[in-house]
Amino acid sequence: MLFRSTCGTVDELNSALGLAAVNAPDEIASIIRQLQSRLFDLGADLCTPPDANVKRTVRITAAHVTELEGLIDRVSAQLPPPKTFILPGGCQVAAHLHLARTIGRRAERRIVALSRKQTINANVMVYLNRVGDLLFALARRANGLAKIEDTPWLPDAPQQQ
């Protein structure tokens, strides 16, 4: 059951990214498409035990993680550093990316739980963790391109009546 829900959550993340890509600027849509393809690779890796002697399975490697970290750095370099926590939202593309980010975090939690029951490629967990970081940066970039400021979290903000 856990295995199926884990794979299903990775698929749900991929579908949420497809929704985000629909109206995304080309710069962001291109990154999303790359990420969607890699998530299919991740799913194949997840479905194939690490000790299986299968030649056609793509494995998530440290190089894939490094590639993703490079994307995070490239996108983040275009953003002002956050001064506070940022509430999910903004333009439609950013809101979809934030939703995808939370689905990815759920997938990450399920993969960690799965790793306690069976052996999985450790790079899968690291990669999925970095996906969340990329989606956060992309959401902020989408807001910037739409000329919408990120909404800061205001602790103990008064409730509007």
Side-chain angles (χ1 to χ4, degrees):
M1 180 71 172
L2 180 59
F3 175 76
R4 284 185 182 167
S5 70
T6 302
C7 291
T9 305
V10 171
D11 188 40
E12 184 182 353
L13 167 59
N14 211 333
S15 295
L17 288 171
L19 185 60
V22 169
N23 294 313
D26 289 344
E27 154 191 341
I28 293 173
S30 173
I31 293 171
I32 290 171
R33 295 292 182 225
Q34 285 177 265
L35 184 55
Q36 285 184 292
S37 291
R38 189 66 69 217
L39 285 172
F40 264 93
D41 296 339
L42 185 144
D45 191 328
L46 206 60
C47 290
T48 309
D51 59 352
N53 188 13
V54 179
K55 295 180 183 181
R56 296 191 63 171
T57 297
V58 177
R59 296 289 183 191
I60 299 299
T61 66
H64 293 122
V65 173
T66 300
E67 175 185 63
L68 190 60
E69 289 171 341
L71 273 173
I72 295 165
D73 291 345
R74 191 176 88 211
V75 173
S76 296
Q78 301 171 14
L79 303 170
K83 295 180 175 130
T84 183
F85 288 110
I86 295 169
L87 297 178
C91 70
Q92 187 176 31
V93 172
H96 284 297
L97 287 164
H98 279 296
L99 181 59
R101 177 182 54 79
T102 64
I103 294 167
R105 293 295 187 208
R106 180 167 19 102
E108 182 183 358
R109 290 189 302 274
R110 289 194 173 155
I111 286 173
V112 168
L114 184 63
S115 75
R116 293 182 179 133
K117 296 185 181 283
Q118 67 186 55
T119 303
I120 65 167
N121 174 0
N123 289 312
V124 166
M125 288 186 284
V126 176
Y127 188 87
L128 203 51
N129 176 267
R130 299 305 188 281
V131 165
D133 297 337
L134 176 61
L135 296 179
F136 180 76
L138 285 174
R140 292 193 64 219
R141 179 69 178 143
N143 279 337
L145 290 170
K147 301 194 182 330
I148 295 174
E149 289 190 30
D150 290 317
T151 304
W153 167 62
L154 303 173
D156 245 0
Q159 299 295 314
Q160 294 188 1
Q161 302 287 330

